[in-house]
Amino acid sequence: MATMSWRRGVKALGLGVICTALACGVEDVRYEEVPSPTGSTIAADPALAVDPRSGDWLMTWVSAENLWFARTSDGGATWTTPVRVTGATGDVHPHGESSARLVVSPRGVLAAVWTNSIDVAGRQWPASNIRFARSIDGGATWSRTITLNDDTAATP
């Protein structure tokens, strides 16, 4: 498969099953299982990317209040052991309007960006920090998580 296009979305299911649809045609849809690293029955907010150097599929998802990463080099038949991206449990919360994002550079550097919830006294809704981590070794290890903004207590 020299070129691939995303024609269908990605959907997270319970029991640690993540359904991915990578398609060259509308009829070509595949469903793959990724083992939950925590044994949790809840997984949410998957993000997919393709490594331009190898063609591997790359994925992050939220489970047990952590962001996780795995890759497959055989079209989803097997996945690497999931690696935790977030530095501390509770640093990410699934939210449909601000899902985690995963990108990969032409040189294979991975970057993940997500939000976390910050309770602010007097506000009805929590504020959010924009969090960031990167991997320079294909996702085997991730940098220390950093916050990209400093405006959670006031109006942006």
Side-chain angles (χ1 to χ4, degrees):
M1 221 185 276
T3 62
M4 294 180 277
S5 64
W6 297 97
R7 292 207 177 166
R8 299 238 177 158
V10 179
K11 192 175 207 177
L13 304 175
L15 304 174
V17 176
I18 303 212
C19 163
T20 64
L22 175 64
C24 287
V26 175
E27 300 302 315
D28 183 17
V29 177
R30 299 176 52 130
Y31 298 91
E32 307 296 341
E33 284 192 28
V34 175
S36 171
T38 61
S40 171
T41 60
I42 299 172
D45 286 349
L48 292 172
V50 175
D51 187 327
R53 298 173 311 152
S54 64
D56 290 359
W57 300 354
L58 313 173
M59 180 170 52
T60 60
W61 70 96
V62 177
S63 179
E65 296 186 343
N66 286 291
L67 188 65
W68 298 90
F69 170 83
R71 78 168 38 229
T72 178
S73 59
D74 57 11
T78 59
W79 292 84
T80 60
T81 300
V83 175
R84 191 168 85 174
V85 176
T86 47
T89 297
D91 192 25
V92 64
H93 302 282
H95 191 282
E97 294 176 1
S98 58
S99 298
R101 298 291 185 248
L102 174 65
V103 295
V104 58
S105 77
R107 293 181 296 149
V109 175
L110 309 176
V113 179
W114 66 94
T115 61
N116 66 1
S117 295
I118 306 296
D119 290 326
V120 178
R123 287 180 60 169
Q124 178 180 5
W125 307 107
S128 297
N129 279 328
I130 301 169
R131 306 287 280 156
F132 170 85
R134 74 177 182 154
S135 175
I136 60 172
D137 60 8
T141 60
W142 289 82
S143 69
R144 179 181 59 84
T145 301
I146 63 170
T147 299
L148 300 179
N149 64 304
D150 62 359
D151 62 351
T152 58
T155 304

